[in-house]
Amino acid sequence: MSEQSPTHKPSYKRVLLKISGEALMGDQGYGLHPPTVARIAQEVKSVHDLGVEICMVIGGGNIFRGLQGSAQGMERATADYMGMLATVMNALGMQAALEELGLHCRVISAIRMDEVAEPYIRRRAVRHLEKKRIIIFAAGTGNPYFTTDTAATLRANEMNCEAIFKGTKVDGVYDKDPKKHADAKRYDTVTYDEVLQKHLGVMDASAIALARDNDLPIIVFSLDEPGGFRGILAGDGTYTRVHG
């Protein structure tokens, strides 16, 4: 990965990074793996050091997933609220890792829990970004039946982000699972409608529709590739751009 020169302007000034809760597990089967959390925090810092304003949404699937809970007989709304609380735990873990690196970070929860996180107030959140603080949006949208993908797209629009960066295990969007099919084809670019029509699994349909309606590009890249997040901002790297 080539280093960015000091004079090179980042591709975007304000972005939202969406990662799954599973990304924090490392090789464990559940929970948070502190070295993995620290590595992701370092990736975030490398982009923050470029002057990019960053907000984040982290899923909760490493601790509890609402859909799985409801599939086992639990009421869906209750299961989803449990999943939202899991995202708060992940957000606090990431906040600690970022602060360990000397960054200023705020966790903002859609469900009020004032002792551990700020309530969501849009203008205050925007001000945090303007002050170069990293924001982690937790508890999804605060409503059951909505995924953290939808929450990420909603918050990215509210914060006037220029793109959503979706960190995954693979370096873009493929026509089929590249880990199972050697002939899987990676897209350099793909439209929102193609993602929906071909069920490419970038984000759920509500999130894709919300991004499409507001012309918000989604950059899908590998969070496992060291320097990948920074590299894309520097105009390098491998990724798929979802656009109109």
Side-chain angles (χ1 to χ4, degrees), residues 109-128:
S109 173
I111 298 175
R112 290 194 72 110
M113 46 185 79
D114 297 346
E115 287 76 13
V116 298
E118 292 184 10
Y120 177 68
I121 300 171
R122 190 182 71 85
R123 288 179 180 273
R124 181 187 292 177
V126 169
R127 188 68 180 133
H128 284 320

Side-chain angles (χ1 to χ4, degrees), residues 21 24 32 58-65 80-92 138-139:
L24 306 183
L32 284 85
I58 306 172
N62 57 319
I63 299 172
F64 189 86
R65 185 179 293 280
D80 279 355
Y81 279 121
M82 292 174 67
M84 290 180 218
L85 296 179
T87 71
V88 177
M89 295 174 68
N90 284 338
L92 292 173

Side-chain angles (χ1 to χ4, degrees), residues 35-86:
T36 299
V37 177
R39 179 184 63 78
I40 295 173
Q42 188 63 56
E43 295 284 325
V44 173
K45 181 180 185 299
S46 71
V47 171
H48 182 268
D49 288 346
L50 298 177
V52 178
E53 296 171 1
I54 304 169
C55 44
M56 300 177 66
V57 170
I58 306 172
N62 57 319
I63 299 172
F64 189 86
R65 185 179 293 280
L67 275 173
Q68 290 178 354
S70 64
Q72 294 172 15
M74 186 179 294
E75 181 196 18
R76 172 67 188 272
T78 298
D80 279 355
Y81 279 121
M82 292 174 67
M84 290 180 218
L85 296 179

